[in-house]
Amino acid sequence: MAMNFGIEVAGEANPLSLQTLYHTLTAASSSDPQQIKSGAQQLQNWEKQSGYYSSLQSIFVDVSLPVEVRHLCIIQLKNGIDKYWRKTAPNAIKKDEKDLIRSRSIESGTNEPDHRLALQNALMIAKIVRYEYPLEWPDAVSSIVSNLRQASQSDDNPLRLTRALLMLLEAIKELSTARIQRTRTSLQAASVEVLQVLGKTYVDRVQTWMKFFHQGGDDEGGAISSIEQSLLALRVLRRLLIAGWDFPNRSTEVREFWSLLGNHFRDMLSMAVNESSSLHENVRRLVEKHLRQIAKLHVNLAKAHPSGFALLPGSVQLASTYWNLVYQFGETYGSQSSTASDPSNGQTGDDRDQGVPITEYLSLKGLLLLRACVKMVFNPAQTFKYQQAEDKEEKAQSRQIIKENILTGNFAEAAMQTLVTRFFVFTQRDLRDWREQPEEWERREEGEDDTWEFSIRPCAEKLFLELILNYKEQLVEPLVSVFWTVANPRNRDVLQKDSIYGAIGLAASVLEDKLDFDSFLRNTLAQEVQIDQPGCGVLRRRIAIVLGQWLPVKDGLDRPLVYQVFQHLLDKGTPSNDLVVRITAGRQLKNVIIPFDFKFEQFEPYATTVLHRLVALIEEVELSEIKLALLNTLLVLIQSVEEKIVPFADQILSVLAPLWEQASTEFLLKQSILGILSSLISAVKGESRKYHALLIPLIDSSVDIASETRVYMLEDALDLWVNILQQTPSNAVSNVVSLVPHLFPMLEVGSDTLRKALEIAEIYVYLAPAQLLASTVLLSPLTSLLQGSKREVTGLVLSIVELLMRCALEFGGVEALTRFTLQLLEVNFLQTVMSGLRGAHEAHQTTGPHRAKTWLDVLVETDYLSILARLALASPNLFIDAVKAARPDEQFETAVSWLLSEWFRHLDNISHPEKKKLNCLAVTALLRTGQPWILEHLQELMTVWTEVVVELYDADERKDDCLVYWDVEAMKGANETAEEEGQRNLMFVDPVHRLDLKPFIREHIQYAIASSGGSNEAFQEQWVVNVDKDVLQEFSKLGIF
């Protein structure tokens, strides 16, 4: 009961002690769910308490306690290192507690009898080393190495050595992946000491077990222990030699150990291959593991330190050894002697479940090593690090060594022949998987990630491509010669053809001008694709791939014939077109259609059949990766044929709708579907209205802020939303209005989709202005975006608000605009605009290095003033009221004085004709007030009038305003969408395009004269007299006044 009470009360009421901690750990590691829950909660409550993690270690180091409790202790401690060890972490572990944990960690790990616990302790030490080495724990590596030295010198307890090696392994793992240069430099400083101690340990253990297996003895257990320890040491050495030196070839210790390791590799290879029958299965497996580690070291060193690899002793011989392994393995790899129609060949399903044989593994590493050598010579890695003269000399020397001793022209030709004839050929395992798991096999073969590094044939293809690109002169002629000997419809060896055609496809960019591919297409491929015999599916698949590789690089091919071939390959009714063949054809169709010179007229005779079969194939396959690939082909097809896809739209949508439901939580698939729908809507244009019932619910579920899928689907759904809005005809606007509520929450989130959301809002202003004007939640997020946003975002916000002001005036007159202005004041929109303009005015009053700054650039200030211009042009009184409300703590005369001063100053910076005319009309409209605060600026007004009138009338010696549109119907386009109609109508009623500027100025000058008593002489004496004569003279030339 005491234990239960101690767990269930709150952490604050249950003080931390070793006894209570032990009881809590016991409960948390029990099988009772209630005890586990309460115990875990109590442990979480203690996490931030001082002494908690050192107490966990105190319980862990007591080997007399239950393993389950100790295991939970070390897990909690390891996780706590991640959360609380850094100094900057909240509730970080105190320094004295860290010191205590460090002081006990190595010794406790060395004496730990349980391997699971020892591993977790080693991981915990490695995390501390990553954080604290070399500053806070400078002797971390030397302490672990010292512990290793002591353990290796004593034979009393072999387990101590294993544990010491395990701790060193995890520490070197962490340090070798560190990005901080200080950490890497410190590791390199300690590398020599580590190599000396670790290398001696490794050599001693290898000598012990090799002597036992060659000469015999009584201590079999000791030999097994030694081979396990040497393997562990080798795992550390593999990482140390890569990360411990920038130039490993310059280190005497590395050179000596490299030579020794080369001898061990050959000795162990002989044991694993030639003497495997005399070895116990467990021993053989451990020897093979040694070989795998050494092979990894060879390849990784060649990649990380290419020059160092070439200059290390014996590397040339090592590369030759690997090539001999590759060559010998090639003798048995392919299946040329087998028939493609009999993929089983007597093997059982268990064969494929065996691990990769050591000969295959080493051959794969050999291919990777040779590819690294090719890249070293022809495509060396570039670096920004400063290179000393010695570095450059070594680099040049290493390239010369590899090129002269390994990558000779004769070697390249022999290698090409071996790769193509032996490794490009399908194995019996490939053919069996083709039959039994067609989708999985095809997905694996077409993998576009780095999985090629783990499979012989894809790796051989990569090496072949490197060779053909860099040895064109030596390899092109023999390759083409061999090709023409097999490229004959009468040659029925499909596996041989598959390998040769595969090489021709990979080398398409090299052979473009060396091979008459059009003749090959017409006379050979067109006939071979019709051959129907057992195993011809292999050749049909290859034909699809080769065409997909050649069409993007070769001009002038018979494209209609190619389309006919793909139409045939996609035919499910042909027995030889099995699922793999059709999936491959579906994938490669994308590469056939995507070239820029694609012409629909050539594809049109086959379009209906090809689309029907492609869509049926998408329905047939089950793997999501393959569905995605085929959907990508469908997307490319839609984008290529554009509006000509309309006849097929119903069929495509009939497949995508159920596929969306089947996708469930497969978000990549759903994203692909949304992308296709978006392109389809753009293609079908006005016809999209009949699909609204299907598409709008998809958008609704994808953008709903309460939807769990929103984070995955939002971006693609917004693209579809935009396309639907842009293509919606005027008679279907009501269909898309239901999505408007989803728009407002998106405007409150400063995300990557914000710009798209603003674009949608702008389109809705044209489509459904009444709904947006009636909204009470739109303006608040728009106001918050005014400051601190990018120029593009601010411009969109101001454009939307200005459009709404125009709509309010058009549909409800000044009264509606007044209501909208009040809404702008309620959310502080106009206050923000006025504040920004005030800051700009103050900044422009100062000069010099200490002048004030303004966050308004020229374009944003133009947009700010355009908001006020809409008010002034619609109603000067509304403008006055708005300025007073937006600057309540400032006298109106003061506010309007600096505002007009800034306004007239900025008018010179407005380059956009429509914006400039709008602002000219606005300041002119203020003359209707007859107030001195505007008449005082008569000189600035005349200057603006002169400049704008000259721009609008004199450009082409026009008699009228060039921005005035008279015939709204003449501007109507064919198949006009609702958005385009809204833009046209709103533009036509805009005063900028309806008011002729000259009469407008003349009329408002009369307002000014009337306010001065109605006398022209009085107006002249009171206001015109203050205008500069030159300004007045230029204005008079316009004939307005």
Side-chain angles (χ1 to χ4, degrees):
M1 291 297 293
M3 182 184 71
N4 289 340
F5 175 78
I7 295 169
E8 293 170 3
V9 295
E12 292 76 5
N14 196 12
L16 176 65
S17 67
L18 283 177
Q19 184 68 18
T20 55
L21 178 58
Y22 175 74
H23 287 318
T24 303
L25 290 165
T26 302
S29 58
S30 69
S31 57
D32 183 356
Q34 181 59 36
Q35 292 295 317
I36 293 174
K37 180 179 178 180
S38 56
Q41 180 60 49
Q42 180 62 77
L43 292 175
Q44 187 177 353
N45 292 339
W46 278 331
E47 276 186 359
K48 300 176 183 179
Q49 287 197 27
S50 178
Y52 170 64
Y53 289 104
S54 58
S55 299
L56 284 173
Q57 191 184 42
S58 297
I59 295 176
F60 167 72
V61 299
D62 189 347
V63 296
S64 64
L65 297 177
V67 172
E68 293 77 11
V69 174
R70 298 177 60 233
H71 188 254
L72 182 57
C73 273
I74 193 62
I75 292 293
Q76 290 283 320
L77 177 54
K78 184 190 71 173
N79 294 341
I81 301 299
D82 283 330
K83 295 169 65 175
Y84 301 111
W85 195 271
R86 291 189 301 272
K87 292 180 180 179
T88 56
N91 306 291
I93 300 173
K94 300 293 189 296
K95 184 179 182 304
D96 55 348
E97 189 174 2
K98 288 182 180 180
D99 294 340
L100 178 60
I101 293 172
R102 284 198 307 261
S103 65
R104 296 186 296 189
S105 58
I106 297 178
E107 185 62 28
S108 63
T110 306
N111 297 318
E112 177 54 54
D114 188 280
H115 175 72
R116 290 185 308 156
L117 274 61
L119 175 59
Q120 295 301 323
N121 185 73
L123 292 171
M124 182 268 294
I125 293 173
K127 290 180 182 294
I128 298 176
V129 170
R130 180 70 176 264
Y131 287 129
E132 301 211 333
Y133 182 76
L135 296 181
E136 303 296 330
W137 196 5
D139 61 340
V141 175
S142 60
S143 297
I144 298 174
V145 172
S146 176
N147 185 61
L148 172 63
R149 183 185 291 111
Q150 295 174 9
S152 62
Q153 292 173 350
S154 174
D155 295 331
D156 297 340
N157 185 1
L159 191 62
R160 289 177 58 87
L161 177 58
T162 302
R163 299 295 183 252
L165 287 169
L166 182 62
M167 287 185 287
L168 184 59
L169 171 63
E170 298 303 331
I172 296 298
K173 268 187 185 180
E174 282 287 345
L175 294 176
S176 64
T177 58
R179 296 183 179 272
I180 301 176
Q181 184 60 35
R182 180 181 64 243
T183 303
R184 297 181 65 85
T185 302
S186 300
L187 172 62
Q188 292 175 355
S191 293
V192 173
E193 179 189 5
V194 177
L195 178 58
Q196 289 173 344
V197 177
L198 186 60
K200 184 178 184 307
T201 301
Y202 165 77
V203 172
D204 290 344
R205 291 305 175 268
V206 169
Q207 289 176 347
T208 298
W209 63 262
M210 275 196 170
K211 180 179 179 181
F212 176 83
F213 293 126
H214 286 143
Q215 301 178 10
D218 298 329
D219 190 10
E220 182 178 353
I224 297 298
S225 177
S226 293
I227 195 171
E228 291 174 344
Q229 290 168 346
S230 65
L231 177 60
L232 198 54
L234 191 55
R235 292 174 63 192
V236 185
L237 286 163
R238 175 168 67 84
R239 293 169 173 83
L240 180 67
L241 291 176
I242 302 297
W245 286 267
D246 285 332
F247 304 96
N249 56 293
R250 300 178 189 175
S251 169
T252 303
E253 292 82 3
V254 173
R255 294 174 65 87
E256 292 176 353
F257 186 76
W258 182 261
S259 298
L260 178 67
L261 206 57
N263 295 331
H264 284 182
F265 179 72
R266 284 183 282 273
D267 292 342
M268 294 180 192
L269 181 61
S270 178
M271 291 179 64
V273 177
N274 302 327
E275 306 171 23
S276 60
S277 59
S278 62
L279 296 177
H280 187 274
E281 175 65 23
N282 185 43
V283 174
R284 182 185 61 79
R285 188 169 61 251
L286 288 170
V287 173
E288 289 181 357
K289 286 184 177 181
H290 279 72
L291 288 169
R292 293 172 193 265
Q293 289 296 319
I294 297 174
K296 283 183 180 179
L297 170 62
H298 291 156
V299 174
N300 292 343
L301 190 71
K303 290 180 178 179
H305 307 291
S307 298
F309 170 82
L311 296 174
L312 282 170
S315 291
V316 172
Q317 293 80 4
L318 185 66
S320 299
T321 300
Y322 273 107
W323 176 245
N324 289 334
L325 283 170
V326 171
Y327 186 84
Q328 293 169 14
F329 179 69
E331 297 285 351
T332 58
Y333 177 79
S335 56
Q336 296 93 324
S337 61
S338 306
T339 60
S341 58
D342 182 22
S344 62
N345 200 26
Q347 294 185 2
T348 65
D350 294 333
D351 294 337
R352 85 191 86 177
D353 297 330
Q354 300 298 320
V356 178
I358 188 61
T359 52
E360 180 175 349
Y361 182 86
L362 294 179
S363 297
L364 176 61
K365 292 301 178 184
L367 293 173
L368 292 171
L369 182 66
L370 290 169
R371 186 169 187 264
C373 290
V374 175
K375 292 179 70 67
M376 183 192 313
V377 173
F378 296 102
N379 189 23
Q382 302 299 317
T383 177
F384 292 104
K385 293 174 63 177
Y386 177 75
Q387 292 184 316
Q388 303 286 346
E390 183 181 5
D391 303 342
K392 297 177 181 178
E393 182 181 350
E394 284 186 352
K395 194 172 184 179
Q397 184 182 356
S398 65
R399 294 176 64 185
Q400 183 178 1
I401 289 173
I402 296 298
K403 195 167 185 178
E404 293 181 355
N405 295 279
I406 300 177
L407 301 178
T408 62
N410 291 335
F411 168 81
E413 190 170 344
M416 181 190 72
Q417 181 180 0
T418 300
L419 294 173
V420 173
T421 60
R422 297 182 179 179
F423 293 108
F424 282 18
V425 181
F426 286 127
T427 65
Q428 293 300 321
R429 182 173 56 189
D430 291 322
L431 297 171
R432 181 178 54 251
D433 288 347
W434 177 322
R435 276 184 48 183
E436 297 178 3
Q437 300 175 333
E439 291 190 39
E440 180 60 36
W441 183 88
E442 199 279 340
R443 182 200 63 79
R444 188 170 65 245
E445 286 295 308
E446 295 297 327
E448 297 178 354
D449 50 18
D450 290 336
T451 54
W452 62 268
E453 294 188 355
F454 305 99
S455 184
I456 285 284
R457 191 171 61 258
C459 188
E461 291 176 352
K462 293 284 186 181
L463 178 57
F464 165 80
L465 190 56
E466 294 283 352
L467 291 173
I468 198 71
L469 287 172
N470 295 294
Y471 290 90
K472 299 175 186 176
E473 294 78 7
Q474 293 96 329
L475 302 184
V476 167
E477 184 177 346
L479 178 60
V480 173
S481 177
V482 171
F483 165 73
W484 284 122
T485 62
V486 301
N488 188 322
R490 292 188 296 275
N491 181 359
R492 299 303 174 93
D493 188 344
V494 295
L495 293 178
Q496 182 191 40
K497 281 188 174 182
D498 179 76
S499 61
I500 300 298
Y501 288 4
I504 294 298
L506 289 171
S509 60
V510 177
L511 301 177
E512 177 189 356
D513 300 325
K514 308 293 190 302
L515 179 67
D516 186 358
F517 191 82
D518 191 57
S519 174
F520 172 56
L521 169 63
R522 295 172 184 273
N523 302 325
T524 305
L525 290 186
Q527 297 180 41
E528 289 181 335
V529 80
Q530 301 177 60
I531 296 175
D532 194 3
Q533 69 174 43
C536 69
V538 172
L539 188 57
R540 293 188 176 204
R541 170 184 176 271
R542 181 58 60 188
I543 289 173
I545 295 174
V546 170
L547 290 175
Q549 292 167 325
W550 270 85
L551 256 73
V553 300
K554 183 68 173 177
D555 296 329
L557 295 180
D558 188 346
R559 291 184 180 274
L561 179 57
V562 173
Y563 302 144
Q564 188 176 357
V565 168
F566 274 87
Q567 176 181 261
H568 177 64
L569 292 175
L570 287 168
D571 183 9
K572 186 178 181 180
T574 303
S576 296
N577 291 340
D578 61 18
L579 191 57
V580 170
V581 172
R582 288 182 285 118
I583 291 173
T584 305
R587 281 184 187 267
Q588 296 300 325
L589 181 62
K590 173 188 68 175
N591 298 326
V592 170
I593 293 173
I594 206 169
F596 68 92
D597 56 346
F598 171 81
K599 296 181 177 62
F600 179 74
E601 295 73 20
Q602 296 177 330
F603 181 68
E604 188 172 11
Y606 315 98
T608 301
T609 305
V610 168
L611 266 169
H612 173 74
R613 291 173 179 175
L614 178 62
V615 169
L617 182 60
I618 294 172
E619 289 185 286
E620 181 181 354
V621 297
E622 296 179 357
L623 283 184
S624 297
E625 293 92 333
I626 295 179
K627 284 185 182 289
L628 278 171
L630 297 176
L631 286 172
N632 190 27
T633 298
L634 181 60
L635 174 62
V636 170
L637 191 56
I638 293 171
Q639 293 172 340
S640 298
V641 304
E642 297 178 339
E643 70 276 0
K644 297 180 180 65
I645 199 69
V646 172
F648 313 102
D650 290 347
Q651 182 184 2
I652 294 172
L653 283 167
S654 68
V655 174
L656 296 182
L659 187 58
W660 176 274
E661 298 299 328
Q662 296 168 15
S664 184
T665 57
E666 296 184 40
F667 302 119
L668 286 176
L669 198 57
K670 285 190 169 183
Q671 289 172 357
S672 179
I673 293 171
L674 288 174
I676 292 173
L677 292 173
S678 183
S679 295
L680 187 63
I681 293 302
S682 296
V684 301
K685 300 188 183 302
E687 295 295 319
S688 64
R689 66 183 182 278
K690 64 182 181 181
Y691 306 122
H692 283 180
L694 171 65
L695 301 180
I696 290 177
L698 297 187
I699 299 174
D700 183 87
S701 62
S702 300
V703 303
D704 188 352
I705 197 169
S707 172
E708 295 179 359
T709 65
R710 183 176 186 270
V711 65
Y712 308 103
M713 315 303 301
L714 182 59
E715 186 172 351
D716 296 283
L718 289 179
D719 288 336
L720 176 58
W721 193 354
V722 168
N723 282 344
I724 285 180
L725 293 179
Q726 290 176 338
Q727 304 302 333
T728 296
S730 55
N731 59 357
V733 170
S734 59
N735 298 343
V736 297
V737 172
S738 61
L739 294 173
V740 170
H742 294 303
L743 184 62
F744 304 139
M746 284 189 283
L747 299 176
E748 299 175 355
V749 181
S751 65
D752 295 336
T753 59
L754 176 60
R755 180 180 175 85
K756 187 71 70 175
L758 288 170
E759 290 176 4
I760 293 173
E762 187 173 24
I763 297 174
Y764 268 114
V765 175
Y766 296 115
L767 295 182
Q771 283 79 2
L772 265 66
L773 286 170
S775 169
T776 59
V777 295
L778 174 63
L779 294 178
S780 181
L782 290 180
T783 302
S784 64
L785 293 172
L786 270 185
Q787 290 182 311
S789 297
K790 293 181 179 179
R791 162 72 189 94
E792 295 81 0
V793 171
T794 305
L796 278 171
V797 168
L798 292 164
S799 175
I800 291 169
V801 173
E802 185 181 348
L803 284 172
L804 288 171
M805 295 174 72
R806 291 166 58 188
C807 290
L809 183 64
E810 171 62 19
F811 300 126
V814 174
E815 183 180 350
L817 180 59
T818 302
R819 290 195 298 270
F820 185 74
T821 304
L822 290 174
Q823 294 179 24
L824 292 176
L825 289 166
E826 288 175 2
V827 298
N828 289 324
F829 186 93
L830 286 179
Q831 291 89 326
T832 303
V833 169
M834 291 294 291
S835 177
L837 292 172
R838 176 62 178 174
H841 172 71
E842 292 176 350
H844 294 140
Q845 305 308 305
T846 59
T847 58
H850 301 294
R851 64 183 181 274
K853 304 288 185 181
T854 175
W855 56 270
L856 288 185
D857 62 23
V858 174
L859 295 177
V860 173
E861 185 169 354
T862 299
D863 292 338
Y864 269 37
L865 289 170
S866 296
I867 297 294
L868 298 179
R870 291 293 173 183
L871 293 175
L873 186 55
S875 170
N877 290 331
L878 178 58
F879 166 82
I880 294 171
D881 293 339
V883 171
K884 289 179 179 178
R887 304 290 292 181
D889 298 329
E890 191 173 16
Q891 291 291 328
F892 172 74
E893 288 73 12
T894 303
V896 80
S897 175
W898 65 254
L899 175 59
L900 289 174
S901 176
E902 179 62 22
W903 205 334
F904 283 113
R905 186 207 65 80
H906 185 74
L907 271 165
D908 286 337
N909 297 326
I910 300 177
S911 58
H912 193 283
E914 294 183 358
K915 291 284 188 181
K916 193 156 193 172
K917 180 180 178 181
L918 169 65
N919 283 271
C920 177
L921 290 171
V923 292
T924 304
L926 294 177
L927 288 174
R928 276 184 276 172
T929 64
Q931 296 297 316
W933 47 262
I934 183 62
L935 290 171
E936 289 171 352
H937 293 277
L938 187 59
Q939 175 165 310
E940 289 94 329
L941 279 167
M942 288 187 175
T943 302
V944 171
W945 291 336
T946 302
E947 180 181 350
V948 178
V949 168
V950 168
E951 287 182 10
L952 298 183
Y953 289 80
D954 289 354
D956 299 312
E957 298 183 357
R958 297 175 60 96
K959 301 297 184 182
D960 53 8
D961 191 331
C962 68
L963 288 180
V964 174
Y965 302 151
W966 302 106
D967 188 356
V968 65
E969 291 301 320
M971 301 170 60
K972 184 175 182 179
N975 301 318
E976 190 176 53
T977 65
E979 180 195 7
E980 292 168 341
E981 181 182 356
Q983 290 175 340
R984 180 171 54 84
N985 290 334
L986 201 56
M987 179 175 62
F988 190 73
V989 298
D990 187 351
V992 173
H993 299 296
R994 296 299 295 165
L995 295 176
D996 194 322
L997 185 58
K998 279 186 177 181
F1000 186 83
I1001 295 172
R1002 186 180 297 113
E1003 176 186 351
H1004 283 76
I1005 291 176
Q1006 295 304 318
Y1007 277 118
I1009 294 174
S1011 66
S1012 302
S1015 169
N1016 190 36
E1017 291 76 10
F1019 179 70
Q1020 294 269 2
E1021 293 175 2
Q1022 187 174 0
W1023 302 111
V1024 178
V1025 70
N1026 299 319
V1027 179
D1028 185 86
K1029 291 183 179 179
D1030 292 336
V1031 173
L1032 184 60
Q1033 182 179 357
E1034 290 298 318
F1035 176 68
S1036 299
K1037 292 179 181 179
L1038 301 178
I1040 297 175
F1041 174 69

